[in-house]
Amino acid sequence: MQRRGLIIGAVVVFVLLIGGGTISTYNTLVTLDQEVDSQWAQVENAYQRRADLVPNLVQTVKGAAAHERETLEAVTEARARVGSVTGVGAAADPQVLQRYQAAQDQLSSALTRLVAVSEAYPQLRANENFLALQSQLEGTENRISVERRRFNEAARDFNTRRESFPTVVFAGVLGDRFKAKAYFTAAAGAAEAPKVEF
């Protein structure tokens, strides 16, 4: 009788340990998943701030450098592309993140050309609105960089936990619920300094 009680007690303890471990693992993955989603929202927020600055910047440049139509159109088109590419699901889908990042990189490139063109116009460099917008844009680019880094850190924390044993087994059982998170990567050619020609 006493032996039977010990066996039942051991089985109950084993089941409680497994159940507790499973609940703890699930809750940890949920917490880390929410961190990634929260940080993704911050990335989108920073990109939206930049997109909101673009129309004012274009209008300011247009007044001083009207014959730079090609550059202004490139910025406007790149901003429109950014608006049409959604980042929904980008944290868990590398292809969605890649498309989103490519659209943002095109806008970054167009804005770099726009700012470079502005250097050729002294009246534009003296324009207070332009200088304020340029300063806000620089600050926003820094925010984007910080938020992307924080997103990558949150994705790394999630992926590290997800790939650790025994969590990897548990995550595999749940299938798509806890897929590995994608990372922001440097744009192709980012290691090369941009060429600016006047």
PDB file of all heavy atoms in Angstrom, residues 152-168:
ATOM      1  N   ASN A 152      15.814  44.176 -33.394  1.00  0.00           N
ATOM      2  CA  ASN A 152      16.705  43.028 -33.597  1.00  0.00           C
ATOM      3  C   ASN A 152      17.069  42.367 -32.268  1.00  0.00           C
ATOM      4  O   ASN A 152      17.178  41.143 -32.184  1.00  0.00           O
ATOM      5  CB  ASN A 152      17.970  43.441 -34.352  1.00  0.00           C
ATOM      6  CG  ASN A 152      17.745  43.529 -35.852  1.00  0.00           C
ATOM      7  OD1 ASN A 152      16.719  43.088 -36.369  1.00  0.00           O
ATOM      8  ND2 ASN A 152      18.696  44.101 -36.547  1.00  0.00           N
ATOM      9  N   GLU A 153      17.244  43.175 -31.220  1.00  0.00           N
ATOM     10  CA  GLU A 153      17.543  42.611 -29.902  1.00  0.00           C
ATOM     11  C   GLU A 153      16.361  41.793 -29.379  1.00  0.00           C
ATOM     12  O   GLU A 153      16.543  40.709 -28.826  1.00  0.00           O
ATOM     13  CB  GLU A 153      17.903  43.721 -28.914  1.00  0.00           C
ATOM     14  CG  GLU A 153      19.250  44.355 -29.192  1.00  0.00           C
ATOM     15  CD  GLU A 153      19.501  45.611 -28.377  1.00  0.00           C
ATOM     16  OE1 GLU A 153      18.588  46.085 -27.646  1.00  0.00           O
ATOM     17  OE2 GLU A 153      20.627  46.144 -28.464  1.00  0.00           O
ATOM     18  N   ALA A 154      15.153  42.321 -29.536  1.00  0.00           N
ATOM     19  CA  ALA A 154      13.956  41.589 -29.090  1.00  0.00           C
ATOM     20  C   ALA A 154      13.790  40.300 -29.897  1.00  0.00           C
ATOM     21  O   ALA A 154      13.463  39.246 -29.340  1.00  0.00           O
ATOM     22  CB  ALA A 154      12.712  42.470 -29.223  1.00  0.00           C
ATOM     23  N   ALA A 155      14.040  40.365 -31.204  1.00  0.00           N
ATOM     24  CA  ALA A 155      13.954  39.178 -32.052  1.00  0.00           C
ATOM     25  C   ALA A 155      15.017  38.159 -31.647  1.00  0.00           C
ATOM     26  O   ALA A 155      14.744  36.951 -31.579  1.00  0.00           O
ATOM     27  CB  ALA A 155      14.110  39.554 -33.522  1.00  0.00           C
ATOM     28  N   ARG A 156      16.214  38.635 -31.345  1.00  0.00           N
ATOM     29  CA  ARG A 156      17.289  37.735 -30.903  1.00  0.00           C
ATOM     30  C   ARG A 156      16.908  37.040 -29.594  1.00  0.00           C
ATOM     31  O   ARG A 156      17.073  35.827 -29.452  1.00  0.00           O
ATOM     32  CB  ARG A 156      18.593  38.519 -30.709  1.00  0.00           C
ATOM     33  CG  ARG A 156      19.753  37.646 -30.228  1.00  0.00           C
ATOM     34  CD  ARG A 156      20.825  38.418 -29.511  1.00  0.00           C
ATOM     35  NE  ARG A 156      20.255  39.081 -28.354  1.00  0.00           N
ATOM     36  CZ  ARG A 156      20.610  40.298 -27.942  1.00  0.00           C
ATOM     37  NH1 ARG A 156      21.512  40.981 -28.598  1.00  0.00           N
ATOM     38  NH2 ARG A 156      20.061  40.834 -26.870  1.00  0.00           N
ATOM     39  N   ASP A 157      16.375  37.799 -28.630  1.00  0.00           N
ATOM     40  CA  ASP A 157      15.975  37.201 -27.352  1.00  0.00           C
ATOM     41  C   ASP A 157      14.906  36.125 -27.567  1.00  0.00           C
ATOM     42  O   ASP A 157      14.965  35.051 -26.976  1.00  0.00           O
ATOM     43  CB  ASP A 157      15.454  38.275 -26.393  1.00  0.00           C
ATOM     44  CG  ASP A 157      16.555  39.218 -25.928  1.00  0.00           C
ATOM     45  OD1 ASP A 157      17.747  38.910 -26.118  1.00  0.00           O
ATOM     46  OD2 ASP A 157      16.207  40.286 -25.382  1.00  0.00           O
ATOM     47  N   PHE A 158      13.929  36.443 -28.419  1.00  0.00           N
ATOM     48  CA  PHE A 158      12.872  35.467 -28.713  1.00  0.00           C
ATOM     49  C   PHE A 158      13.461  34.231 -29.377  1.00  0.00           C
ATOM     50  O   PHE A 158      13.182  33.095 -28.967  1.00  0.00           O
ATOM     51  CB  PHE A 158      11.801  36.086 -29.610  1.00  0.00           C
ATOM     52  CG  PHE A 158      10.733  35.105 -30.003  1.00  0.00           C
ATOM     53  CD1 PHE A 158       9.617  34.926 -29.205  1.00  0.00           C
ATOM     54  CD2 PHE A 158      10.854  34.343 -31.161  1.00  0.00           C
ATOM     55  CE1 PHE A 158       8.635  34.001 -29.548  1.00  0.00           C
ATOM     56  CE2 PHE A 158       9.880  33.421 -31.514  1.00  0.00           C
ATOM     57  CZ  PHE A 158       8.765  33.249 -30.705  1.00  0.00           C
ATOM     58  N   ASN A 159      14.261  34.441 -30.427  1.00  0.00           N
ATOM     59  CA  ASN A 159      14.824  33.311 -31.177  1.00  0.00           C
ATOM     60  C   ASN A 159      15.743  32.449 -30.310  1.00  0.00           C
ATOM     61  O   ASN A 159      15.733  31.220 -30.424  1.00  0.00           O
ATOM     62  CB  ASN A 159      15.570  33.812 -32.413  1.00  0.00           C
ATOM     63  CG  ASN A 159      14.637  34.359 -33.474  1.00  0.00           C
ATOM     64  OD1 ASN A 159      13.444  34.067 -33.491  1.00  0.00           O
ATOM     65  ND2 ASN A 159      15.176  35.170 -34.360  1.00  0.00           N
ATOM     66  N   THR A 160      16.515  33.090 -29.446  1.00  0.00           N
ATOM     67  CA  THR A 160      17.412  32.335 -28.556  1.00  0.00           C
ATOM     68  C   THR A 160      16.602  31.445 -27.627  1.00  0.00           C
ATOM     69  O   THR A 160      16.903  30.254 -27.470  1.00  0.00           O
ATOM     70  CB  THR A 160      18.294  33.293 -27.736  1.00  0.00           C
ATOM     71  OG1 THR A 160      19.085  34.076 -28.637  1.00  0.00           O
ATOM     72  CG2 THR A 160      19.203  32.537 -26.789  1.00  0.00           C
ATOM     73  N   ARG A 161      15.574  32.013 -27.041  1.00  0.00           N
ATOM     74  CA  ARG A 161      14.731  31.216 -26.141  1.00  0.00           C
ATOM     75  C   ARG A 161      14.004  30.115 -26.914  1.00  0.00           C
ATOM     76  O   ARG A 161      13.912  28.973 -26.466  1.00  0.00           O
ATOM     77  CB  ARG A 161      13.721  32.127 -25.441  1.00  0.00           C
ATOM     78  CG  ARG A 161      12.781  31.429 -24.513  1.00  0.00           C
ATOM     79  CD  ARG A 161      13.532  30.706 -23.412  1.00  0.00           C
ATOM     80  NE  ARG A 161      12.632  29.917 -22.608  1.00  0.00           N
ATOM     81  CZ  ARG A 161      12.725  29.771 -21.315  1.00  0.00           C
ATOM     82  NH1 ARG A 161      13.718  30.332 -20.664  1.00  0.00           N
ATOM     83  NH2 ARG A 161      11.856  29.050 -20.667  1.00  0.00           N
ATOM     84  N   ARG A 162      13.493  30.466 -28.090  1.00  0.00           N
ATOM     85  CA  ARG A 162      12.736  29.505 -28.899  1.00  0.00           C
ATOM     86  C   ARG A 162      13.598  28.319 -29.315  1.00  0.00           C
ATOM     87  O   ARG A 162      13.129  27.196 -29.379  1.00  0.00           O
ATOM     88  CB  ARG A 162      12.204  30.203 -30.144  1.00  0.00           C
ATOM     89  CG  ARG A 162      11.314  29.298 -30.990  1.00  0.00           C
ATOM     90  CD  ARG A 162      11.053  29.895 -32.362  1.00  0.00           C
ATOM     91  NE  ARG A 162      10.192  29.028 -33.133  1.00  0.00           N
ATOM     92  CZ  ARG A 162      10.588  27.910 -33.739  1.00  0.00           C
ATOM     93  NH1 ARG A 162      11.843  27.515 -33.661  1.00  0.00           N
ATOM     94  NH2 ARG A 162       9.734  27.170 -34.427  1.00  0.00           N
ATOM     95  N   GLU A 163      14.865  28.562 -29.608  1.00  0.00           N
ATOM     96  CA  GLU A 163      15.751  27.499 -30.094  1.00  0.00           C
ATOM     97  C   GLU A 163      16.444  26.729 -28.968  1.00  0.00           C
ATOM     98  O   GLU A 163      17.165  25.779 -29.227  1.00  0.00           O
ATOM     99  CB  GLU A 163      16.801  28.086 -31.043  1.00  0.00           C
ATOM    100  CG  GLU A 163      16.216  28.672 -32.308  1.00  0.00           C
ATOM    101  CD  GLU A 163      15.422  27.657 -33.126  1.00  0.00           C
ATOM    102  OE1 GLU A 163      15.854  26.497 -33.238  1.00  0.00           O
ATOM    103  OE2 GLU A 163      14.349  28.038 -33.639  1.00  0.00           O
ATOM    104  N   SER A 164      16.227  27.154 -27.721  1.00  0.00           N
ATOM    105  CA  SER A 164      16.832  26.459 -26.580  1.00  0.00           C
ATOM    106  C   SER A 164      16.025  25.209 -26.248  1.00  0.00           C
ATOM    107  O   SER A 164      14.808  25.182 -26.394  1.00  0.00           O
ATOM    108  CB  SER A 164      16.855  27.382 -25.359  1.00  0.00           C
ATOM    109  OG  SER A 164      17.608  28.537 -25.625  1.00  0.00           O
ATOM    110  N   PHE A 165      16.744  24.174 -25.781  1.00  0.00           N
ATOM    111  CA  PHE A 165      16.061  22.942 -25.382  1.00  0.00           C
ATOM    112  C   PHE A 165      15.547  23.123 -23.965  1.00  0.00           C
ATOM    113  O   PHE A 165      16.244  23.687 -23.138  1.00  0.00           O
ATOM    114  CB  PHE A 165      17.040  21.763 -25.458  1.00  0.00           C
ATOM    115  CG  PHE A 165      16.382  20.453 -25.170  1.00  0.00           C
ATOM    116  CD1 PHE A 165      15.659  19.809 -26.148  1.00  0.00           C
ATOM    117  CD2 PHE A 165      16.462  19.884 -23.909  1.00  0.00           C
ATOM    118  CE1 PHE A 165      15.033  18.600 -25.885  1.00  0.00           C
ATOM    119  CE2 PHE A 165      15.840  18.689 -23.644  1.00  0.00           C
ATOM    120  CZ  PHE A 165      15.121  18.046 -24.625  1.00  0.00           C
ATOM    121  N   PRO A 166      14.371  22.718 -23.642  1.00  0.00           N
ATOM    122  CA  PRO A 166      13.380  21.951 -24.379  1.00  0.00           C
ATOM    123  C   PRO A 166      12.350  22.824 -25.100  1.00  0.00           C
ATOM    124  O   PRO A 166      11.411  22.317 -25.695  1.00  0.00           O
ATOM    125  CB  PRO A 166      12.716  21.112 -23.291  1.00  0.00           C
ATOM    126  CG  PRO A 166      12.721  22.006 -22.098  1.00  0.00           C
ATOM    127  CD  PRO A 166      14.011  22.790 -22.208  1.00  0.00           C
ATOM    128  N   THR A 167      12.552  24.146 -25.043  1.00  0.00           N
ATOM    129  CA  THR A 167      11.580  25.060 -25.650  1.00  0.00           C
ATOM    130  C   THR A 167      11.406  24.786 -27.136  1.00  0.00           C
ATOM    131  O   THR A 167      10.302  24.898 -27.670  1.00  0.00           O
ATOM    132  CB  THR A 167      12.003  26.531 -25.426  1.00  0.00           C
ATOM    133  OG1 THR A 167      12.246  26.720 -24.030  1.00  0.00           O
ATOM    134  CG2 THR A 167      10.940  27.487 -25.882  1.00  0.00           C
ATOM    135  N   VAL A 168      12.476  24.420 -27.838  1.00  0.00           N
ATOM    136  CA  VAL A 168      12.397  24.152 -29.270  1.00  0.00           C
ATOM    137  C   VAL A 168      11.403  23.025 -29.566  1.00  0.00           C
ATOM    138  O   VAL A 168      10.681  23.073 -30.564  1.00  0.00           O
ATOM    139  CB  VAL A 168      13.797  23.864 -29.871  1.00  0.00           C
ATOM    140  CG1 VAL A 168      14.364  22.555 -29.349  1.00  0.00           C
ATOM    141  CG2 VAL A 168      13.751  23.872 -31.376  1.00  0.00           C
TER     142      VAL A 168
END
